Amino acid sequence: MAVAKLHGGGGMPMPMPMPMRLLPSPMTHRTLPSIASFAPRRHIIVALAAKRSPKRLKYSTPRFSKEGELVYIEVDPCGADSWKLQPVIELLKQGAVGVIPTDTVYAIVCDCKNHSAVERLRRIKKIESSKPLSILCRSLRDIDTFTMGFPRGDGHGHANVFRAVKQCLPGPYTFILTASKELPKQCVGYGTTSVKYASRKNVGVRISDDPLCQAILHEMDAPLISTSVKGPKENEWMIDPTAIGDIYGPEGLDFLVDGGVRVAEPSTIVDMTGPYPKVIRQGKGPILPWMVVDDEESPLRQDLMASGT
């Protein structure tokens, strides 16, 4: 290819550049993608994601537009390569719905403040709009913001269990608390005013002790809606990420974080909305002396046991 050089001085005329001939290239007629990816047989492993404006993300709840196949990211369960999770964080902020590991079982999650994402999560998991959901919180401050908090004692026989609860978090417990107005109504269930569902203003809260889950939450602006990844049978949890992708990918799942095969051991659910802490599902977290085991069946108990991680 000839290269034209410019010369000055001496009144000499400037030579005209020679015509340039473009060599054929596969990239001539297309724009470089913002995400570099390698596509294996079933999934897409993301290597790099474009950054978006944090200010814009804070004040907007965009509607996620899915393009292509399920985004699949394999990460060290100990979090040694948690930098790989950045694409997942960006997708969640855009309104994606996906699967991440927790310290108990895998969970389907989305941004709790993105209404369209919450609706999509309900469709993927086939959860009715009247059913409550759980939230994965970043810290105790999130729990104070999005719920009415833990019982602190009132001098009338109600114990102050907040100090005891702090010893359990982060950990494999889901605590049922009364939701505050900061939590969108889509997260606590709506669409009915019957007495049967009068207690559905409650929500399950978790602070997971999993390093991958914590790495994602710490980059978010709000808690994540969370529901367990269950199998076709009752009380059966899916622990193999590949199987989860095969089943939920066609249902509209956007991404999956593979943190290795997990043990099918969900969290222990404790209802904190009554006069004393009631265990309504015994799971990975041990039952402590200040907890009372409750065997009574109720609609709320069944709903929270079905969705809790």
Side-chain angles (χ1 to χ4, degrees), residues 70-91:
L70 176 72
V71 175
Y72 179 91
I73 300 179
E74 187 174 1
V75 191
D76 184 345
C78 297
D81 51 359
S82 59
W83 57 268
K84 293 181 181 178
L85 298 171
Q86 191 60 39
V88 168
I89 296 165
E90 298 297 333
L91 287 173

Side-chain angles (χ1 to χ4, degrees), residues 101-120:
T102 71
D103 56 348
T104 53
V105 295
Y106 277 92
I108 301 177
V109 299
C110 70
D111 185 349
C112 77
K113 291 193 172 182
N114 192 303
H115 291 182
S116 63
V118 177
E119 292 173 0
R120 290 183 58 231

Side-chain angles (χ1 to χ4, degrees), residues 61-278:
T61 54
R63 184 175 291 273
F64 182 74
S65 177
K66 183 181 172 87
E67 296 180 3
E69 301 178 30
L70 176 72
V71 175
Y72 179 91
I73 300 179
E74 187 174 1
V75 191
D76 184 345
C78 297
D81 51 359
S82 59
W83 57 268
K84 293 181 181 178
L85 298 171
Q86 191 60 39
V88 168
I89 296 165
E90 298 297 333
L91 287 173
L92 283 168
K93 290 180 178 180
Q94 294 174 33
V97 178
V99 172
I100 66 171
T102 71
D103 56 348
T104 53
V105 295
Y106 277 92
I108 301 177
V109 299
C110 70
D111 185 349
C112 77
K113 291 193 172 182
N114 192 303
H115 291 182
S116 63
V118 177
E119 292 173 0
R120 290 183 58 231
L121 181 146
R122 286 187 180 274
R123 288 198 301 268
I124 291 172
K125 190 70 185 296
K126 298 179 175 60
I127 301 175
E128 297 176 11
S129 59
S130 61
K131 306 295 184 181
L133 296 167
S134 297
I135 56 174
L136 283 168
C137 298
R138 298 165 293 183
S139 63
L140 290 169
R141 179 174 297 180
D142 272 350
I143 295 178
D144 286 338
T145 300
F146 293 94
T147 75
M148 302 304 292
F150 291 97
R152 304 293 183 105
D154 57 6
H156 298 285
H158 296 101
N160 185 347
V161 298
F162 179 65
R163 292 182 180 179
V165 167
K166 288 199 300 183
Q167 305 301 318
C168 302
L169 298 174
Y173 292 91
T174 298
F175 290 104
I176 310 304
L177 296 170
T178 302
S180 70
K181 293 182 179 179
E182 294 295 324
L183 190 66
K185 64 180 181 180
Q186 290 175 307
C187 307
V188 295
Y190 62 99
T192 179
T193 57
S194 65
V195 177
K196 179 180 178 182
Y197 297 107
S199 61
R200 294 193 187 281
K201 292 183 180 179
N202 298 332
V203 63
V205 297
R206 287 213 60 205
I207 300 180
S208 174
D209 198 25
D210 182 82
L212 303 179
C213 184
Q214 288 185 345
I216 294 172
L217 283 167
H218 288 166
E219 296 296 326
M220 298 299 296
D221 300 321
L224 293 175
I225 289 292
S226 168
T227 179
S228 58
V229 182
K230 302 193 71 173
K233 297 181 181 180
E234 188 177 356
N235 295 327
E236 181 182 79
W237 283 265
M238 300 187 67
I239 58 175
D240 185 353
T242 302
I244 294 172
D246 290 340
I247 292 180
Y248 285 97
E251 297 293 328
L253 206 65
D254 301 315
F255 67 84
L256 190 152
V257 177
D258 183 349
V261 175
R262 299 292 164 119
V263 177
E265 197 171 11
S267 65
T268 295
I269 300 179
V270 185
D271 186 357
M272 307 291 290
T273 60
Y276 50 86
K278 293 190 298 184

